[in-house]
């Protein structure tokens, strides 16, 4: 092949040897495969996620090791760029080394060939002709030219040699293909964030990791308007505007100034009849002092706006600070009986004093539609309309926070309605759900009143007394001691249930009762607790008929109270009204390297097709006059697809033979 | 069985036939553009012209392809005509529900591909040229039914709703059909050109595997239902990017199966040089060369497809390259075959190691094609399992 063999290399200087090493095929293949393997890492580990997510996933030890190895942004890690650079260097060396010989090969018709070497080619044949030498040569040359070959005649001492070649552009294919790799990488480099990293390394800029308002971001984390490549993003709420974009870097960002201001008028999602999203669109206005009039445009996915070399894409959407009206229903009797009305906004934090504790409410999300499956339903295919939802966090004074997800519409399960609220302690957990039963008025009043009575010590004690008397009357016992202890047990069971649900009660049974009595007393305790709860529930009514509906409500309410201790919030926040404000997520990019990359791509495509589908074919004819007459020796070779060359050579032989009235 | 394997079949059709075919293609393209001039944009017109030119080349010396195109055209038009504006006819009309509705056509395709695989292997096993020829016939029929199914599905998507309509290359189910059809056509091309019918069973094996997946995916996951396009896929780039990719995937799969056959024959040769398999299969040299040709074809198309993908990404995602998992795996596949080609062209490797490498290449390709969608998350909202 065109690769010169390195095995028996003459003495090279060190510089030459390094040059040869970089251009060697072994290095090239190694680099191609190394690059492939290295690329895998970034696809297996999701890149550029918030660093806290990685910390949760890997734990502090591995987190740091992976961070040092640059695994959260592999493709701009130094070691990865080093492999790419090596590949470019290696390819450059190989292009530099080969191009001169390739160009020569492209035009040069080999005329220094010996008869022997022609006979050694796989394709060669000779025959006798009846025409004289000169005439034969002329006819052959004409035929070759007709078939698209370039030809040259050389007079040797005892013969005439015709050298012919077709498909020299195959060699151009080689040059283009390999040049393309270099050009594409250079273009990619122009668009990479390497200059930013360099500036950071020099200490000229500093990545900001704090969550600040744009105006507060220090100058060192700001990038002025320039011709530099960047890729940033910005969320602009409807009706607002921005003249910056955020460029993400590792676990922080830089603020890139834009030479114009983008105002978002409206963001829209259109839906197909089936409910799937059909389009995401933003109406925006570009304000620029260079413009006679502000430029209005609508962008959508796949249809960006290109302005002054900046491309503005529809990338995502989010809440733009929707206004929310919330009723906070107390789950703790110290807070009061009635719901407290709250007005807030998505992404706002507000402080409350609920009962003893100070709590901070942070609204994190809002969605106007939720057509989901009930999270605990057996059939995940049964979709329901949950209405709007809001996500929020409640942070205690110590800084710990629980995360909640509440739906505005009650959901129906088993023909009863519930307000649904998800809760979890960390984003790594799944949501656990609280189902609060809705009363006939569609409110939580009845549940709240029941809860309040369960917590009313005097009332519980009175009911326990009543129940004790009835029970003892039934078994005909009237001993003072027994009376007292039974009443205490009943109150204690209710208090225990209120504090920790059925779990605590069961634990108590298993840990405090003597083993001998556990089996008989355990179920009895639970039955008594249920009876107590029922009595508490029905104590509000005097002798109203107790129907199926009330019994079911009681059961649901008991379940809900049992889960309250794990719910961890002193209030239940019920969304009552909202005004949806959306923010359009725009991606803004400048990529001056793009034309370069595209040029490289054009080279690559042209090069590859030339290499594969324009085989370089060389033919030689040696016409020799001897005593017996004129003989013709035809030989040929192709640098690609020898099997396709077989029939070509045969056909050519036939044509040429007929040409000079051959006398075999 | 006469062993003509490996000789190149360069028979050219009569000039009259060639011109007739070219004329028909030109007329068909012009007619399409004229009829739809009001709705086609420049990209669609370019695609029509490009398709017509490509078909002119493919069909001018390949009568099988001409008949295939003719059958697809006539039967698809027939189905579209029967459908009219009523999608429910797909279930009630006899002709549609048993033959031409896309779902029925795909079932036919699946059955025919499996039958073709069996025929090819039976032909090999019992040394029956006739049986193997039946395999070729079945493969043609299967490819034809698959192509008809795709065409009819295209129409059906518009019958569901004007805004739902789209070319059926938008999800994993549809592209698996595309993969089967394209791989079959590429194989048939080489089968005719190199008389390598004994390789048919091997290539069809990978198609049958695709069919098995397709059936599972359709029945088990309901993936056959036509879904409207998510906004990210509403782009003319999809129409060319995806098919170009599948020429690549199809050829790489075929190369791997030739690799399997190669390894099998070379193993048999050491044990039993005059054995049946060795006699019936093409020579190692032929398979080796074929493997190269097929990978070169795939590499060229895959290069184009990846570049088209970059052009599309520049428009949809704000950057021509984002190191999204699908993109990155396309690069990995590409680098792998680039290394393969270098090994062969510059280091002169051939034989068993290259065959093994081609087989391993299939797994890399398979991961790019399927694994990424199954295991990784990224920007390609193209189909998840
Ligand atoms: C890094 C150093 C590289 C060297 C020393 C090198 C060297 C070569 C050589 C000597 C050939 C054979 C040309 C011929 O005689 O026909 C070749 C072919 C080729 N190279 Fe490279 N190459 C390098 C990098 C690359 C890269 C990065 C790519 C892109 C992936 C690439 C793609 C190709 C292709 C597609 C062929 C044609 C193979 C064929 O004809 O089957 N090369 N290369």
């Amino acid at each position: 092949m065109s690769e010169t063999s390195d095995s028996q290399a003459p003495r090279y200087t060190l510089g030459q040897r390094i040059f040869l090493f970089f251009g060697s095929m072994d290095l090239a293949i190694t680099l191609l495969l190394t690059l492939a393997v290295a690329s895998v890492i970034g696809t297996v580990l999701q890149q550029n996620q918030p660093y806290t997510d990685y910390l949760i996933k890997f734990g502090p030890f591995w987190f740091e090791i992976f961070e040092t190895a640059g695994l959260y942004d592999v493709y701009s890690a130094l070691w990865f760029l080093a492999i790419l650079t090596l590949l470019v260097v290696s390819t450059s060396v190989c292009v530099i080394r080969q191009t001169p010989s390739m160009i020569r090969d492209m035009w040069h018709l080999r005329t220094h060939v010996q008869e022997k070497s022609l006979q050694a080619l796989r394709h060669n044949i000779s025959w006798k002709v009846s025409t004289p030498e000169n005439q034969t040569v002329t006819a052959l040359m004409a035929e070759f030219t007709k078939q698209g070959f370039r030809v040259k005649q050389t007079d040797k001492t005892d013969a005439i040699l015709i050298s012919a070649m077709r498909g020299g552009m195959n060699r151009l294919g080689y040059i283009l293909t390999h040049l393309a790799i270099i050009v594409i990488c250079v273009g990619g480099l122009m668009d990479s964030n390497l200059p930013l990293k360099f500036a950071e390394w020099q200490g000229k800029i500093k990545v900001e990791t704090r969550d600040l308002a744009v105006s507060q971001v220090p100058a060192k984390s700001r990038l002025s308007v320039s011709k530099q490549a960047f890729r940033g993003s910005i969320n602009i709420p409807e009706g607002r505007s921005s003249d910056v974009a955020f460029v993400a870097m590792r676990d922080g960002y830089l603020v890139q100034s834009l030479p114009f201001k983008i105002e978002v008028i409206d963001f829209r999602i259109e839906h197909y009849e089936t409910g799937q999203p059909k389009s995401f669109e933003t109406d925006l206005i570009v304000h620029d002092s260079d413009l006679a009039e502000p430029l209005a445009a609508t962008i959508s996915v796949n249809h960006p706006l290109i302005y002054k070399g900046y491309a503005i894409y529809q990338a995502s959407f989010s809440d733009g600070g929707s206004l929310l009206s919330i009723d906070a229903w107390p789950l703790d009797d110290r807070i009061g009986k009635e719901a407290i009305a709250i007005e807030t906004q998505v992404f706002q934090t507000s402080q409350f004093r609920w009962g003893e504790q100070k709590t901070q409410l942070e609204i994190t999300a809002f969605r106007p539609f939720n057509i989901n499956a009930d999270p605990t339903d057996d059939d995940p295919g049964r979709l329901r309309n949950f209405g709007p939802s809001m996500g929020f966090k409640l942070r205690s004074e110590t800084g710990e926070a629980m995360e909640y997800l509440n739906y505005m519409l009650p959901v129906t399960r088993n023909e009863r309605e519930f307000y649904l609220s998800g809760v979890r302690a960390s984003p790594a957990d799944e949501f656990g759900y609280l189902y609060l039963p809705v009363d006939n008025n569609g409110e939580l009043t009845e549940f709240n009143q029941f809860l309040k009575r369960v917590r009313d010590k005097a009332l519980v004690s009175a009911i326990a007394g009543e129940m004790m008397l009835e029970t003892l009357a039934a078994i005909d016992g009237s001993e003072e001691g027994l009376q007292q202890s039974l009443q205490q047990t009943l109150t204690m069971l209710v208090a225990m249930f209120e504090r920790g649900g059925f779990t605590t009660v069961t634990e108590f049974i298993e840990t405090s009762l003597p083993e001998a009595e556990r089996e008989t007393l355990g179920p009895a305790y639970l039955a008594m607790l249920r009876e107590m709860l029922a009595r508490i529930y029905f104590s509000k009514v005097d002798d109203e008929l107790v129907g199926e509906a009330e019994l079911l409500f009681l059961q649901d309410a008991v379940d809900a109270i049992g889960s309250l201790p794990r719910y961890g919030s002193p209030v239940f926040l019920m969304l009552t009204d909202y005004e949806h404000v959306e923010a359009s997520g725009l991606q803004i990019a400048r990529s001056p390297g793009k034309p370069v990359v595209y040029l490289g791509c054009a080279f690559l495509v042209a090069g590859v097709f030339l290499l594969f589908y324009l085989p370089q074919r060389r033919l030689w004819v040696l016409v020799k006059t001897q005593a017996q007459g004129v003989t013709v020796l035809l030989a040929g070779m192709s640098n690609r697809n020898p099997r396709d060359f077989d029939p070509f050579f045969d056909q050519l032989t036939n044509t040429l033979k007929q040409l000079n009235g051959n006398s075999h | 069985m006469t062993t003509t394997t490996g000789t190149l079949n360069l028979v050219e059709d009569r000039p009259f036939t060639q011109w007739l075919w070219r004329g028909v293609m030109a007329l068909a393209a012009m007619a399409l553009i004229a009829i739809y001039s009001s709705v086609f944009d420049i990209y669609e017109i370019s695609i029509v012209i490009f398709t017509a030119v490509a078909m002119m080349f493919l069909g001018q010396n390949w009568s099988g392809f001409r008949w295939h195109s003719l059958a697809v055209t006539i039967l698809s038009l027939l189905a579209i005509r029967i459908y009219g504006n009523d999608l429910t006819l797909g279930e009630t009309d006899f002709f549609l529900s048993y033959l031409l509705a896309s779902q029925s056509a795909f079932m036919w395709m699946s059955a025919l591909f499996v039958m073709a695989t069996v025929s090819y292997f039976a032909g090999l096993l019992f040394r029956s040229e006739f049986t193997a020829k039946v395999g070729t016939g079945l493969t043609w029929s299967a490819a034809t039914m698959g192509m008809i199914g795709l065409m009819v599905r295209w129409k059906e998507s518009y019958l569901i709703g004007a805004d739902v309509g789209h070319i059926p290359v938008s999800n994993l189910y549809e592209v698996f059909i595309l993969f089967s059809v394209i791989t079959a056509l590429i194989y048939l091309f080489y089968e005719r050109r190199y008389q390598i019918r004994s390789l048919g069973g091997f290539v069809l094996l990978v198609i049958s595997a695709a069919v098995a997946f397709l059936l599972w995916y359709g029945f088990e996951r309901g993936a056959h239902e036509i879904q409207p396009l998510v906004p990210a896929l509403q782009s003319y780039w999809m129409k060319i990017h995806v098919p170009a990719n599948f020429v690549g995937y199809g050829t790489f799969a075929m190369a791997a199966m030739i690799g399997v056959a190669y390894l099998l024959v070379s193993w048999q040769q050491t044990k039993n040089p005059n054995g049946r398999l060795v006699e019936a299969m093409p020579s190692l040299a032929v398979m080796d060369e074929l493997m190269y040709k097929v990978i070169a074809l795939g590499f060229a198309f895959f290069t184009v497809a990846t570049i088209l993908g970059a052009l599309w990404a520049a428009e949809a995602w704000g950057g021509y390259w984002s190191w999204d998992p699908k993109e990155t795996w396309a690069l990995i596949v590409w680098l792998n075959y680039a290394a393969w080609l270098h090994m062969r062209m510059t280091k002169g490797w051939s034989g068993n190691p290259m065959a093994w490498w081609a087989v391993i290449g299939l797994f890399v390709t398979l991961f790019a094609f399927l694994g990424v969608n199954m295991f990784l998350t990224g920007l390609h909202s193209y189909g998840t399992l």
Side-chain angles (χ1 to χ4, degrees), chain A residues 1 25-26 43 46 75 191 231 272 276 278 280 302 313 587 597-598 605 612-613 640 643-644 647, chain B residues 163 194 227 229 232 234 289 292-293 297 312 314-318 320 322 329 342 345-347 376-377:
Chain A
M1 279 283 94
M25 203 59 237
D26 295 320
T43 66
Q46 258 200 55
Y75 306 113
D191 287 346
R231 217 163 138 183
Y272 291 106
Q276 287 118 311
K278 177 170 159 185
F280 303 109
N302 277 315
Y313 304 89
Q587 183 159 119
V597 171
Y598 286 2
V605 172
F612 292 151
Y613 295 107
R640 287 279 178 306
R643 209 161 297 270
D644 290 0
Chain B
D163 59 352
Y194 289 92
Q227 298 288 346
L229 281 184
Q234 293 164 10
E289 197 180 317
Y292 168 73
K293 285 208 80 151
L297 175 70
W312 183 6
E315 199 170 300
W317 298 338
Y320 47 83
S322 320
W329 272 94
H342 277 109
M345 290 311 295
T346 63
K347 306 235 77 163
L376 309 176
T377 43

Side-chain angles (χ1 to χ4, degrees), chain A residues 2 28 90-91 94 171 178 181 611 640, chain B residues 292 334 338 342 345-346:
Chain A
S2 21
S90 165
T91 315
C94 110
R171 304 291 77 198
H178 293 85
I181 306 298
L611 260 179
R640 287 279 178 306
Chain B
Y292 168 73
W334 190 75
H342 277 109
M345 290 311 295
T346 63

